[in-house]
Amino acid sequence: MSSDIPEPAADEIATTPTPPYTAVIFTSLRTAGDNGYTAMATQIAELAAQQPGYLGIESAGEEVEITVSYWQTEDHAKDWKRVVQHAEAQRLGRELWYSRYVIRVATVTREYGN
Amino acid sequence: MSSDIPEPAADEIATTPTPPYTAVIFTSLRTAGDNGYTAMATQIAELAAQQPGYLGIESAGEEVEITVSYWQTEDHAKDWKRVVQHAEAQRLGRELWYSRYVIRVATVTREYGN
């Protein structure tokens, strides 16, 4: 990665607290071409990290992309939704970047791993 | 994709019912090389689709991979966990395929999209 491009704010696997907490699962099908997407995605991840109740974010994929953001409570996730909706990103996203997307808000009840 | 390799059982974006339902978010960091991973992942997705309570699966990424499977209830997700744990895949997965993974079980409460 060029040193001119900032690293994403996300860790690869988020460090999250003992459940319960809130997960927002964003699954999208991307359109062809970047169209400013990469720069926007970096900015949005940095903005998310500054919001109250932010716990972490994970993102994978290109044509099919899954991004999961984690929040202390569902109210924190709702506040983040309002911030994003006010941003230009949301309007452009619908028009330029995604042919389809689904957002699911969920309460994490158990977590385990290695 | 070669016609010898079956298409994954997953739709790109799962068609899920009105919430609530259960999501199992599997976030992993892959090791280098395939080591039979692609064939196993296809088999596991096909096996999942045959389980009671299965609603759909979404997967994205390579080095960082996020797979979300959806289930009617948390009990269905627990039954699936038992099936997977009995499979060779689970043991090999820990040894060969993933340098790290986290699994989060969550109850989806809201869903929206375009």
Side-chain angles (χ1 to χ4, degrees), chain A residues 12-16 21 23-25 27-29 58-62 64-68 70 74 78 81 94 98-114, chain B residues 12-16 21 23-25 27-29 58-62 64-68 70 74 78 81 94 98-114:
Chain A
E12 291 180 320
I13 297 187
T15 301
T16 39
Y21 54 87
V24 179
I25 307 163
T27 307
S28 60
L29 304 183
E58 296 166 349
S59 192
E62 304 204 353
V64 179
E65 186 179 272
I66 301 177
T67 297
V68 189
Y70 299 102
E74 193 165 328
K78 282 181 187 165
K81 183 185 172 190
R94 290 186 169 137
Y98 304 118
S99 59
R100 197 172 155 235
Y101 65 86
V102 172
I103 297 171
R104 296 177 176 94
V105 181
T107 303
V108 177
T109 56
R110 290 186 294 132
E111 174 182 324
Y112 54 96
N114 68 350
Chain B
E12 291 178 320
I13 297 187
T15 302
T16 39
Y21 54 87
V24 179
I25 307 163
T27 308
S28 61
L29 304 183
E58 297 167 347
S59 192
E62 303 203 353
V64 180
E65 186 179 272
I66 302 177
T67 297
V68 189
Y70 299 101
E74 192 164 330
K78 281 181 187 166
K81 183 186 174 190
R94 289 185 170 139
Y98 304 117
S99 59
R100 197 173 156 234
Y101 65 86
V102 172
I103 297 171
R104 295 176 176 95
V105 181
T107 303
V108 177
T109 54
R110 290 185 293 133
E111 173 182 325
Y112 53 95
N114 69 348

Side-chain angles (χ1 to χ4, degrees), chain B residues 24-88:
Chain B
V24 179
I25 307 163
F26 182 97
T27 308
S28 61
L29 304 183
R30 291 276 310 283
T31 53
D34 188 73
N35 301 313
Y37 179 78
T38 304
M40 176 284 298
T42 302
Q43 285 182 340
I44 290 288
E46 288 171 352
L47 188 61
Q50 295 165 19
Q51 299 305 304
Y54 173 86
L55 296 175
I57 197 164
E58 297 167 347
S59 192
E62 303 203 353
E63 290 87 357
V64 180
E65 186 179 272
I66 302 177
T67 297
V68 189
S69 61
Y70 299 101
W71 304 89
Q72 286 173 17
T73 69
E74 192 164 330
D75 279 345
H76 288 113
K78 281 181 187 166
D79 289 343
W80 167 238
K81 183 186 174 190
R82 264 179 236 119
V83 170
V84 174
Q85 281 180 327
H86 286 170
E88 185 71 350

